[in-house]
Protein backbone atom coordinates (compact mmCIF):
# COMPACT_ATOMS: atom_id res chain seq x y z
CA UNK A 1 0.00 0.00 0.00
CA UNK A 2 1.26 3.47 -0.78
CA UNK A 3 2.20 5.91 1.90
CA UNK A 4 1.01 9.50 2.07
CA UNK A 5 2.77 10.72 5.19
CA UNK A 6 6.00 12.63 5.09
CA UNK A 7 7.43 10.76 8.07
CA UNK A 8 10.36 8.39 7.73
CA UNK A 9 9.24 4.74 8.13
CA UNK A 10 9.95 3.26 11.55
CA UNK A 11 12.15 0.60 9.98
CA UNK A 12 14.54 3.24 8.58
CA UNK A 13 17.89 3.29 10.35
CA UNK A 14 20.41 6.02 11.00
CA UNK A 15 22.85 6.52 8.17
CA UNK A 16 26.49 5.99 9.05
CA UNK A 17 29.76 7.38 7.72
CA UNK A 18 29.64 9.72 4.73
CA UNK A 19 26.15 8.70 3.59
CA UNK A 20 23.60 11.45 2.92
CA UNK A 21 19.87 10.96 2.48
CA UNK A 22 19.69 13.30 -0.50
CA UNK A 23 22.25 11.23 -2.46
CA UNK A 24 20.78 8.52 -4.69
CA UNK A 25 23.10 5.98 -6.32
CA UNK A 26 21.84 4.03 -9.34
CA UNK A 27 23.65 0.75 -9.95
CA UNK A 28 23.88 -0.21 -13.63
CA UNK A 29 24.94 -3.51 -15.18
CA UNK A 30 25.72 -4.51 -18.73
CA UNK A 31 22.71 -5.98 -20.50
CA UNK A 32 20.18 -4.05 -18.44
CA UNK A 33 17.13 -2.68 -20.34
CA UNK A 34 17.43 1.02 -21.02
CA UNK A 35 13.84 1.92 -20.09
CA UNK A 36 14.05 0.61 -16.52
CA UNK A 37 17.57 2.03 -16.18
CA UNK A 38 16.40 5.50 -17.23
CA UNK A 39 13.53 5.72 -14.72
CA UNK A 40 15.56 6.55 -11.58
CA UNK A 41 17.90 8.72 -13.66
CA UNK A 42 14.96 10.85 -14.78
CA UNK A 43 13.24 10.99 -11.39
CA UNK A 44 16.29 11.68 -9.21
CA UNK A 45 18.81 13.12 -11.67
CA UNK A 46 17.07 16.22 -13.06
CA UNK A 47 16.81 19.50 -11.17
CA UNK A 48 13.10 20.39 -11.03
CA UNK A 49 13.17 22.80 -8.11
CA UNK A 50 11.35 25.36 -10.25
CA UNK A 51 8.36 22.97 -10.18
CA UNK A 52 8.49 22.51 -6.43
CA UNK A 53 10.39 19.21 -6.48
CA UNK A 54 13.25 19.02 -3.94
CA UNK A 55 16.56 18.19 -5.53
CA UNK A 56 18.38 14.88 -5.13
CA UNK A 57 22.04 14.33 -5.94
CA UNK A 58 22.47 11.44 -8.40
CA UNK A 59 25.46 9.10 -8.62
CA UNK A 60 25.37 6.71 -11.57
CA UNK A 61 27.57 3.71 -10.70
CA UNK A 62 28.84 0.79 -12.75
CA UNK A 63 28.14 -2.51 -11.06
CA UNK A 64 30.91 -4.35 -12.93
CA UNK A 65 34.14 -3.61 -14.82
CA UNK A 66 32.84 -4.31 -18.32
CA UNK A 67 31.33 -2.12 -21.07
CA UNK A 68 27.74 -1.31 -20.10
CA UNK A 69 25.83 -2.33 -23.20
CA UNK A 70 22.08 -1.91 -23.14
CA UNK A 71 19.00 -2.06 -25.37
CA UNK A 72 19.69 -1.65 -29.08
CA UNK A 73 23.43 -2.14 -28.68
CA UNK A 74 23.97 1.22 -26.97
CA UNK A 75 27.05 1.47 -24.77
CA UNK A 76 26.95 3.55 -21.60
CA UNK A 77 29.75 4.99 -19.49
CA UNK A 78 29.04 5.39 -15.79
CA UNK A 79 30.99 8.20 -14.08
CA UNK A 80 31.31 6.25 -10.80
CA UNK A 81 32.12 2.75 -9.64
CA UNK A 82 31.01 0.65 -6.67
CA UNK A 83 33.05 2.81 -4.27
CA UNK A 84 30.55 5.68 -4.74
CA UNK A 85 27.81 3.61 -3.12
CA UNK A 86 29.42 4.42 0.24
CA UNK A 87 28.07 8.00 -0.02
CA UNK A 88 24.46 7.20 -0.91
CA UNK A 89 21.44 7.22 1.38
CA UNK A 90 19.44 5.39 -1.30
CA UNK A 91 20.73 2.75 -3.71
CA UNK A 92 18.59 1.79 -6.70
CA UNK A 93 19.09 -1.36 -8.79
CA UNK A 94 16.85 -0.65 -11.82
CA UNK A 95 17.05 -4.05 -13.54
CA UNK A 96 19.22 -7.13 -13.88
CA UNK A 97 20.17 -8.52 -17.27
CA UNK A 98 19.09 -12.14 -16.73
CA UNK A 99 17.18 -13.90 -13.99
CA UNK A 100 19.26 -17.03 -14.67
CA UNK A 101 22.66 -15.39 -14.05
CA UNK A 102 24.16 -14.62 -10.64
CA UNK A 103 25.06 -10.94 -10.08
CA UNK A 104 28.73 -10.00 -9.55
CA UNK A 105 29.96 -10.79 -6.04
CA UNK A 106 31.53 -7.34 -5.61
CA UNK A 107 28.19 -5.62 -6.32
CA UNK A 108 26.39 -7.90 -3.83
CA UNK A 109 28.97 -7.09 -1.15
CA UNK A 110 28.55 -3.36 -1.81
CA UNK A 111 24.76 -3.65 -1.47
CA UNK A 112 25.02 -5.57 1.80
CA UNK A 113 27.44 -2.98 3.18
CA UNK A 114 25.14 -0.13 2.14
CA UNK A 115 22.18 -1.79 3.84
CA UNK A 116 24.18 -2.44 7.02
CA UNK A 117 25.10 1.24 7.11
CA UNK A 118 21.47 2.34 6.95
CA UNK A 119 20.98 3.02 3.25
CA UNK A 120 17.58 2.44 1.65
CA UNK A 121 17.87 -0.29 -1.02
CA UNK A 122 15.49 -0.30 -4.00
CA UNK A 123 15.02 -2.98 -6.67
CA UNK A 124 13.00 -2.15 -9.79
CA UNK A 125 11.56 -5.05 -11.81
CA UNK A 126 14.24 -7.78 -12.08
CA UNK A 127 16.44 -5.73 -9.79
CA UNK A 128 14.65 -7.70 -7.06
CA UNK A 129 16.74 -10.72 -8.09
CA UNK A 130 19.92 -8.79 -7.25
CA UNK A 131 18.53 -7.83 -3.85
CA UNK A 132 17.49 -11.43 -3.22
CA UNK A 133 20.92 -12.73 -4.23
CA UNK A 134 22.44 -10.34 -1.68
CA UNK A 135 20.15 -11.79 1.00
CA UNK A 136 18.39 -8.46 1.54
CA UNK A 137 14.92 -9.89 0.87
CA UNK A 138 15.14 -12.88 3.23
CA UNK A 139 12.00 -13.01 5.36
CA UNK A 140 10.62 -9.88 3.70
CA UNK A 141 7.65 -9.18 1.41
CA UNK A 142 8.68 -8.31 -2.15
CA UNK A 143 7.42 -8.17 -5.70
CA UNK A 144 8.76 -8.18 -9.23
CA UNK A 145 7.32 -8.43 -12.74
CA UNK A 146 4.45 -10.95 -12.63
CA UNK A 147 6.16 -13.05 -15.31
CA UNK A 148 9.26 -13.54 -13.14
CA UNK A 149 7.56 -13.74 -9.73
CA UNK A 150 7.24 -17.57 -9.77
CA UNK A 151 10.95 -17.91 -10.52
CA UNK A 152 11.87 -15.47 -7.73
CA UNK A 153 9.65 -17.37 -5.27
CA UNK A 154 11.09 -20.75 -6.24
CA UNK A 155 14.75 -19.71 -6.29
CA UNK A 156 14.54 -17.74 -3.01
CA UNK A 157 11.91 -19.54 -0.86
CA UNK A 158 12.61 -17.31 2.16
CA UNK A 159 11.32 -14.28 0.21
CA UNK A 160 7.58 -13.61 0.53
CA UNK A 161 6.83 -12.87 -3.13
CA UNK A 162 3.50 -11.24 -3.96
CA UNK A 163 3.04 -11.00 -7.76
CA UNK A 164 -0.12 -8.88 -7.36
CA UNK A 165 1.56 -5.71 -6.12
CA UNK A 166 2.83 -2.76 -8.15
CA UNK A 167 5.39 -2.14 -5.43
CA UNK A 168 6.15 -3.18 -1.87
CA UNK A 169 7.71 -0.84 0.70
CA UNK A 170 9.24 -2.75 3.61
CA UNK A 171 10.89 0.29 5.14
CA UNK A 172 14.55 0.10 4.19
CA UNK A 173 14.11 -2.35 1.30
CA UNK A 174 11.66 -1.64 -1.53
CA UNK A 175 10.78 -3.55 -4.71
CA UNK A 176 8.54 -2.89 -7.70
CA UNK A 177 6.93 -4.71 -10.59
CA UNK A 178 8.05 -4.18 -14.17
CA UNK A 179 8.63 -1.06 -16.24
CA UNK A 180 6.00 1.58 -15.39
CA UNK A 181 5.69 0.29 -11.81
CA UNK A 182 9.24 1.55 -11.35
CA UNK A 183 7.88 5.07 -11.85
CA UNK A 184 5.19 4.35 -9.25
CA UNK A 185 7.82 3.31 -6.71
CA UNK A 186 10.13 6.27 -7.43
CA UNK A 187 7.19 8.65 -6.97
CA UNK A 188 6.38 6.86 -3.73
CA UNK A 189 9.95 7.47 -2.54
CA UNK A 190 9.64 11.18 -3.32
CA UNK A 191 6.29 11.23 -1.52
CA UNK A 192 7.84 9.52 1.52
CA UNK A 193 10.80 11.90 1.58
CA UNK A 194 9.12 15.21 0.77
CA UNK A 195 5.34 14.80 0.91
CA UNK A 196 2.42 14.46 -1.46
CA UNK A 197 2.79 17.95 -2.97
CA UNK A 198 6.32 17.27 -4.16
CA UNK A 199 5.34 13.88 -5.59
CA UNK A 200 2.33 15.43 -7.30
CA UNK A 201 4.43 18.19 -8.84
CA UNK A 202 6.91 15.63 -10.16
CA UNK A 203 4.11 13.45 -11.54
CA UNK A 204 2.74 16.44 -13.43
CA UNK A 205 6.15 17.11 -14.97
CA UNK A 206 6.43 13.46 -15.99
CA UNK A 207 2.79 13.48 -17.21
CA UNK A 208 1.92 10.37 -15.19
CA UNK A 209 -0.64 9.73 -12.43
CA UNK A 210 0.74 10.58 -8.97
CA UNK A 211 -0.66 7.28 -7.74
CA UNK A 212 -2.12 4.28 -9.58
CA UNK A 213 -4.69 2.09 -7.86
CA UNK A 214 -4.85 -1.64 -8.36
CA UNK A 215 -2.00 -4.03 -8.92
CA UNK A 216 -0.57 -6.45 -11.45
CA UNK A 217 -3.59 -8.75 -11.17
CA UNK A 218 -5.20 -7.45 -14.36
CA UNK A 219 -2.02 -8.09 -16.35
CA UNK A 220 -1.37 -11.66 -15.23
CA UNK A 221 -1.12 -14.14 -18.05
CA UNK A 222 -2.23 -17.76 -18.01
CA UNK A 223 1.19 -18.92 -19.25
CA UNK A 224 3.00 -21.41 -17.06
CA UNK A 225 6.05 -20.21 -15.12
CA UNK A 226 9.18 -20.71 -17.16
CA UNK A 227 10.65 -23.26 -14.71
CA UNK A 228 7.52 -25.32 -14.18
CA UNK A 229 8.23 -27.85 -16.91
CA UNK A 230 10.48 -30.05 -14.76
CA UNK A 231 8.30 -29.90 -11.66
CA UNK A 232 5.90 -32.76 -10.79
CA UNK A 233 3.08 -30.23 -10.38
CA UNK A 234 3.39 -29.14 -14.02
CA UNK A 235 0.92 -31.78 -15.20
CA UNK A 236 -1.63 -30.76 -12.56
CA UNK A 237 -1.34 -27.06 -13.44
CA UNK A 238 -1.63 -27.82 -17.16
CA UNK A 239 -4.72 -29.97 -16.50
CA UNK A 240 -6.33 -27.16 -14.50
CA UNK A 241 -5.78 -24.66 -17.33
CA UNK A 242 -7.32 -27.06 -19.86
CA UNK A 243 -10.38 -27.75 -17.67
CA UNK A 244 -11.30 -24.29 -16.41
CA UNK A 245 -14.76 -24.80 -17.89
CA UNK A 246 -15.37 -27.56 -15.32
CA UNK A 247 -16.26 -27.06 -11.68
CA UNK A 248 -13.46 -28.34 -9.50
CA UNK A 249 -11.70 -27.11 -6.39
CA UNK A 250 -8.21 -27.13 -4.89
CA UNK A 251 -8.88 -30.48 -3.20
CA UNK A 252 -9.36 -31.94 -6.69
CA UNK A 253 -5.97 -30.60 -7.77
CA UNK A 254 -4.30 -31.91 -4.61
CA UNK A 255 -5.78 -35.35 -5.23
CA UNK A 256 -4.49 -35.35 -8.81
CA UNK A 257 -1.03 -34.54 -7.44
CA UNK A 258 -1.36 -37.34 -4.84
CA UNK A 259 -0.75 -34.86 -2.04
CA UNK A 260 -2.55 -33.67 1.05
CA UNK A 261 -4.17 -30.25 0.75
CA UNK A 262 -1.60 -28.73 3.11
CA UNK A 263 1.38 -30.16 1.22
CA UNK A 264 -0.13 -29.16 -2.12
CA UNK A 265 -0.69 -25.60 -0.94
CA UNK A 266 2.92 -25.28 0.19
CA UNK A 267 4.38 -26.81 -2.99
CA UNK A 268 2.09 -24.79 -5.26
CA UNK A 269 2.98 -21.51 -3.58
CA UNK A 270 6.71 -22.20 -3.84
CA UNK A 271 6.28 -22.99 -7.55
CA UNK A 272 4.01 -20.15 -8.69
CA UNK A 273 4.33 -17.53 -5.95
CA UNK A 274 0.57 -17.66 -5.34
CA UNK A 275 -1.85 -19.65 -3.20
CA UNK A 276 -3.63 -22.31 -5.33
CA UNK A 277 -7.09 -20.93 -4.57
CA UNK A 278 -6.19 -17.39 -5.60
CA UNK A 279 -4.37 -18.69 -8.68
CA UNK A 280 -7.40 -20.71 -9.75
CA UNK A 281 -9.77 -17.77 -9.27
CA UNK A 282 -7.43 -15.54 -11.28
CA UNK A 283 -7.30 -18.03 -14.15
CA UNK A 284 -11.10 -18.29 -14.22
CA UNK A 285 -11.43 -14.49 -14.33
CA UNK A 286 -8.86 -14.30 -17.14
CA UNK A 287 -10.83 -16.88 -19.11
CA UNK A 288 -14.00 -14.86 -18.51
CA UNK A 289 -12.22 -11.80 -19.91
CA UNK A 290 -11.38 -13.64 -23.10
CA UNK A 291 -14.91 -14.94 -23.58
CA UNK A 292 -16.40 -11.49 -22.95
CA UNK A 293 -14.04 -10.03 -25.57
CA UNK A 294 -14.36 -12.71 -28.24
CA UNK A 295 -17.83 -14.24 -27.91
CA UNK A 296 -21.49 -13.29 -27.65
CA UNK A 297 -22.18 -15.58 -24.70
CA UNK A 298 -24.32 -13.99 -22.01
CA UNK A 299 -22.73 -13.29 -18.65
CA UNK A 300 -24.55 -16.31 -17.21
CA UNK A 301 -23.12 -18.52 -19.96
CA UNK A 302 -19.63 -17.08 -19.47
CA UNK A 303 -19.82 -17.92 -15.76
CA UNK A 304 -20.68 -21.53 -16.55
CA UNK A 305 -17.95 -21.85 -19.17
CA UNK A 306 -15.33 -20.56 -16.73
CA UNK A 307 -16.18 -22.96 -13.92
CA UNK A 308 -17.97 -20.51 -11.62
CA UNK A 309 -20.91 -22.05 -9.80
CA UNK A 310 -23.08 -18.99 -10.40
CA UNK A 311 -23.07 -15.65 -12.28
CA UNK A 312 -23.03 -13.90 -8.89
CA UNK A 313 -19.71 -15.55 -8.09
CA UNK A 314 -18.26 -14.44 -11.44
CA UNK A 315 -19.40 -10.85 -10.93
CA UNK A 316 -17.90 -10.66 -7.45
CA UNK A 317 -14.46 -11.92 -8.40
CA UNK A 318 -14.45 -10.08 -11.73
CA UNK A 319 -15.16 -6.78 -10.03
CA UNK A 320 -12.57 -7.35 -7.31
CA UNK A 321 -9.82 -8.17 -9.80
CA UNK A 322 -10.69 -5.77 -12.63
CA UNK A 323 -12.78 -3.08 -10.96
CA UNK A 324 -15.74 -3.56 -13.29
CA UNK A 325 -18.72 -5.84 -13.80
CA UNK A 326 -18.54 -8.36 -16.66
CA UNK A 327 -21.24 -6.53 -18.61
CA UNK A 328 -19.55 -3.15 -18.20
CA UNK A 329 -16.21 -4.65 -19.19
CA UNK A 330 -17.65 -6.07 -22.41
CA UNK A 331 -19.39 -2.81 -23.26
CA UNK A 332 -16.21 -0.79 -22.66
CA UNK A 333 -14.12 -3.26 -24.65
CA UNK A 334 -16.47 -3.05 -27.63
CA UNK A 335 -16.65 0.71 -27.39
CA UNK A 336 -12.87 0.81 -27.83
CA UNK A 337 -13.06 -1.56 -30.80
CA UNK A 338 -16.15 -0.60 -32.85
CA UNK A 339 -16.84 -2.79 -35.84
CA UNK A 340 -18.20 -1.19 -38.98
CA UNK A 341 -18.03 2.25 -37.36
CA UNK A 342 -20.72 1.45 -34.81
CA UNK A 343 -20.52 0.32 -31.22
CA UNK A 344 -22.10 -3.09 -30.63
CA UNK A 345 -25.20 -3.04 -28.48
CA UNK A 346 -25.18 -5.18 -25.34
CA UNK A 347 -26.56 -8.68 -25.82
CA UNK A 348 -29.78 -9.79 -24.25
CA UNK A 349 -27.88 -11.56 -21.49
CA UNK A 350 -26.05 -8.36 -20.61
CA UNK A 351 -29.30 -6.44 -20.30
CA UNK A 352 -30.58 -9.17 -18.02
CA UNK A 353 -27.35 -8.90 -16.05
CA UNK A 354 -27.88 -5.16 -15.57
CA UNK A 355 -31.50 -5.65 -14.60
CA UNK A 356 -30.45 -8.18 -11.99
CA UNK A 357 -28.01 -5.60 -10.56
CA UNK A 358 -30.72 -2.94 -10.47
CA UNK A 359 -29.31 -0.85 -13.31
CA UNK A 360 -32.27 0.43 -15.39
CA UNK A 361 -30.09 2.30 -17.87
CA UNK A 362 -29.43 0.25 -21.02
CA UNK A 363 -26.28 1.92 -22.29
CA UNK A 364 -22.60 1.05 -22.41
CA UNK A 365 -20.53 2.86 -19.83
CA UNK A 366 -18.13 5.43 -21.30
CA UNK A 367 -14.49 4.48 -21.49
CA UNK A 368 -13.13 7.91 -20.60
CA UNK A 369 -15.09 11.08 -19.86
CA UNK A 370 -14.50 14.05 -22.11
CA UNK A 371 -13.71 17.46 -20.73
CA UNK A 372 -16.69 18.75 -18.78
CA UNK A 373 -18.41 15.36 -18.66
CA UNK A 374 -19.03 13.55 -15.36
CA UNK A 375 -16.66 10.72 -14.45
CA UNK A 376 -17.59 7.07 -14.83
CA UNK A 377 -17.97 6.69 -11.07
CA UNK A 378 -20.20 9.75 -10.89
CA UNK A 379 -22.43 8.34 -13.64
CA UNK A 380 -22.59 5.01 -11.82
CA UNK A 381 -23.61 6.72 -8.60
CA UNK A 382 -26.25 8.80 -10.40
CA UNK A 383 -27.68 5.73 -12.11
CA UNK A 384 -27.63 3.74 -8.88
CA UNK A 385 -29.35 6.51 -6.94
CA UNK A 386 -32.07 6.78 -9.59
CA UNK A 387 -32.54 3.03 -9.56
CA UNK A 388 -32.88 2.93 -5.78
CA UNK A 389 -35.32 5.83 -5.93
CA UNK A 390 -37.53 3.78 -8.28
CA UNK A 391 -37.21 0.49 -6.40
CA UNK A 392 -37.16 1.85 -2.87
CA UNK A 393 -34.23 -0.41 -2.00
CA UNK A 394 -31.78 0.94 0.58
CA UNK A 395 -28.54 2.28 -0.79
CA UNK A 396 -26.48 0.02 1.44
CA UNK A 397 -28.14 -3.18 0.24
CA UNK A 398 -25.54 -5.87 -0.32
CA UNK A 399 -25.66 -8.49 -3.06
CA UNK A 400 -25.98 -12.16 -2.21
CA UNK A 401 -22.80 -14.17 -1.91
CA UNK A 402 -22.01 -17.46 -3.56
CA UNK A 403 -20.65 -20.37 -1.61
CA UNK A 404 -18.50 -21.66 -4.48
CA UNK A 405 -14.78 -22.29 -4.27
CA UNK A 406 -13.89 -18.83 -5.46
CA UNK A 407 -15.72 -16.92 -2.71
CA UNK A 408 -13.31 -15.06 -0.46
CA UNK A 409 -14.74 -13.82 2.83
CA UNK A 410 -14.61 -10.18 3.70
CA UNK A 411 -15.43 -8.82 0.26
CA UNK A 412 -19.14 -8.25 0.35
CA UNK A 413 -21.59 -5.76 1.81
CA UNK A 414 -21.59 -4.68 5.39
CA UNK A 415 -19.58 -2.19 7.37
CA UNK A 416 -16.67 -2.24 4.90
CA UNK A 417 -18.78 -1.95 1.76
CA UNK A 418 -18.90 0.97 -0.60
CA UNK A 419 -22.39 2.45 -0.48
CA UNK A 420 -22.12 3.79 -4.01
CA UNK A 421 -21.17 0.40 -5.38
CA UNK A 422 -22.72 -2.45 -3.31
CA UNK A 423 -20.47 -5.44 -2.90
CA UNK A 424 -17.25 -3.55 -3.67
CA UNK A 425 -14.98 -3.15 -0.62
CA UNK A 426 -14.09 0.36 0.39
CA UNK A 427 -10.37 -0.48 0.33
CA UNK A 428 -8.64 -1.89 -2.75
CA UNK A 429 -7.44 -5.48 -2.23
CA UNK A 430 -4.54 -5.14 -4.63
CA UNK A 431 -3.15 -1.67 -3.99
CA UNK A 432 0.58 -1.45 -3.18
CA UNK A 433 1.00 -1.74 0.55
CA UNK A 434 3.23 -0.96 3.49
CA UNK A 435 3.36 -3.69 6.18
CA UNK A 436 0.79 -3.06 8.86
CA UNK A 437 -0.75 -0.07 7.13
CA UNK A 438 -3.98 0.27 5.14
CA UNK A 439 -5.54 3.28 3.52
CA UNK A 440 -8.72 4.24 1.71
CA UNK A 441 -8.59 5.14 -1.98
CA UNK A 442 -8.50 8.82 -2.82
CA UNK A 443 -11.90 10.17 -3.68
Amino acid sequence: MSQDSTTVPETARKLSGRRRREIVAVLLFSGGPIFESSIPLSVFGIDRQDAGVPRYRLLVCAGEDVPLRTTGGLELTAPYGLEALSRAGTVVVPAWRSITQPPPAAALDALRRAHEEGARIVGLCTGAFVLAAAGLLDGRPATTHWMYAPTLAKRYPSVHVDPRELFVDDGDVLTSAGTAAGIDLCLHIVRTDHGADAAGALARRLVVPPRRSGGQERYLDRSLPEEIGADPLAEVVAWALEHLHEQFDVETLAARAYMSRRTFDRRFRSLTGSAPLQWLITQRVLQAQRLLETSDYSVDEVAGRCGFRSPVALRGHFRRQLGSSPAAYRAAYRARRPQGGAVDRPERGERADRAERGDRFDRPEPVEPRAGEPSLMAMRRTALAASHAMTGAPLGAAPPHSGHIGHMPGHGGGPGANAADPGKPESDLYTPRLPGQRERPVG
Side-chain angles (χ1 to χ4, degrees):
M1 178 174 185
S2 298
Q3 174 176 303
D4 262 333
S5 73
T6 58
T7 59
V8 178
E10 293 181 1
T11 51
R13 295 169 295 172
K14 183 178 180 180
L15 288 175
S16 61
R18 297 182 298 161
R19 297 186 183 276
R20 298 291 180 267
R21 294 204 176 276
E22 69 275 10
I23 298 180
V24 177
V26 177
L27 192 57
L28 300 182
F29 298 96
S30 183
I34 194 169
F35 188 94
E36 284 82 353
S37 300
S38 68
I39 289 172
L41 304 184
S42 179
V43 171
F44 301 112
I46 299 177
D47 186 356
R48 297 188 176 93
Q49 295 181 84
D50 61 325
V53 181
R55 185 176 183 179
Y56 290 88
R57 183 179 176 190
L58 181 71
L59 304 178
V60 182
C61 307
E64 52 193 339
D65 294 327
V66 297
L68 303 180
R69 294 188 175 89
T70 184
T71 310
L74 297 176
E75 188 170 310
L76 307 177
T77 300
Y80 301 96
L82 289 173
E83 69 283 352
L85 265 62
S86 63
R87 301 157 56 189
T90 298
V91 179
V92 182
V93 183
W96 173 236
R97 58 173 166 261
S98 173
I99 63 173
T100 62
Q101 295 183 22
L108 298 181
D109 289 340
L111 286 171
R112 296 188 193 101
R113 190 179 311 111
H115 182 253
E116 290 170 358
E117 295 178 356
R120 176 173 51 190
I121 311 297
V122 181
L124 307 182
C125 192
T126 53
F129 282 81
V130 180
L131 272 58
L136 301 182
L137 296 182
D138 290 350
R140 291 177 178 267
T143 193
T144 187
H145 192 293
W146 60 264
M147 189 167 60
Y148 304 122
T151 302
L152 182 65
K154 184 177 182 180
R155 187 171 301 162
Y156 302 99
S158 61
V159 180
H160 306 308
V161 181
D162 191 341
R164 301 172 301 178
E165 304 291 356
L166 289 176
F167 66 80
V168 173
D169 180 344
D170 198 38
D172 54 354
V173 178
L174 304 87
T175 52
S176 80
T179 313
I183 302 177
D184 295 319
L185 180 50
C186 288
L187 286 173
H188 169 72
I189 291 172
V190 174
R191 185 181 302 111
T192 301
D193 291 348
H194 301 291
D197 288 345
L202 177 57
R204 287 191 295 273
R205 287 292 291 265
L206 297 176
V207 197
V208 296
R211 184 201 308 272
R212 286 193 298 162
S213 62
Q216 296 190 80
E217 201 71 30
R218 69 192 68 183
Y219 308 112
L220 293 177
D221 187 73
R222 67 176 290 167
S223 304
L224 300 181
E226 62 180 50
E227 295 185 358
I228 197 175
D231 193 280
L233 290 185
E235 183 179 347
V236 175
V237 173
W239 180 89
L241 291 172
E242 293 298 323
H243 294 78
L244 289 175
H245 59 284
E246 300 177 10
Q247 292 183 6
F248 59 87
D249 53 20
V250 177
E251 282 76 11
T252 302
L253 299 180
R256 292 188 67 86
Y258 301 100
M259 297 178 184
S260 67
R261 171 64 187 271
R262 183 175 180 179
T263 300
F264 181 78
D265 282 5
R266 184 176 65 254
R267 289 285 307 280
F268 192 95
R269 186 183 290 275
S270 68
L271 178 68
T272 67
S274 174
L277 176 60
Q278 184 58 54
W279 178 86
L280 183 57
I281 294 171
T282 298
Q283 300 308 317
R284 294 195 189 283
V285 170
L286 287 171
Q287 181 67 4
Q289 276 186 271
R290 296 185 183 95
L291 291 179
L292 290 167
E293 293 170 359
T294 61
S295 75
D296 290 327
Y297 294 129
S298 69
V299 172
D300 291 15
E301 291 172 321
V302 168
R305 291 174 179 271
C306 295
F308 288 103
R309 297 187 183 277
S310 71
V312 175
L314 166 62
R315 294 186 186 100
H317 291 298
F318 199 96
R319 183 178 291 278
R320 276 190 287 273
Q321 292 198 18
L322 298 173
S324 172
S325 70
Y329 177 86
R330 171 178 275 172
Y333 180 86
R334 292 184 174 181
R336 295 188 190 100
R337 293 162 180 79
Q339 299 182 11
V343 176
D344 293 343
R345 298 296 298 171
E347 301 297 323
R348 180 194 56 79
E350 296 177 38
R351 291 195 296 270
D353 174 53
R354 290 182 176 177
E356 180 178 332
R357 292 185 289 113
D359 190 344
R360 302 287 182 89
F361 295 84
D362 185 13
R363 52 158 177 76
E365 293 176 312
V367 179
E368 296 181 355
R370 298 179 179 177
E373 292 181 345
S375 66
L376 173 60
M377 183 58 71
M379 297 180 71
R380 281 181 176 172
R381 289 172 175 166
T382 301
L384 189 61
S387 174
H388 284 299
M390 289 186 285
T391 61
L395 280 175
H401 289 308
S402 166
H404 80 107
I405 168 183
H407 174 62
M408 299 176 67
H411 296 289
N418 186 336
D421 195 356
K424 184 176 181 181
E426 202 168 77
S427 62
D428 195 325
L429 178 61
Y430 299 124
T431 51
R433 70 173 188 279
L434 288 169
Q437 182 179 356
R438 305 295 297 173
E439 71 175 9
R440 298 172 184 263
V442 178

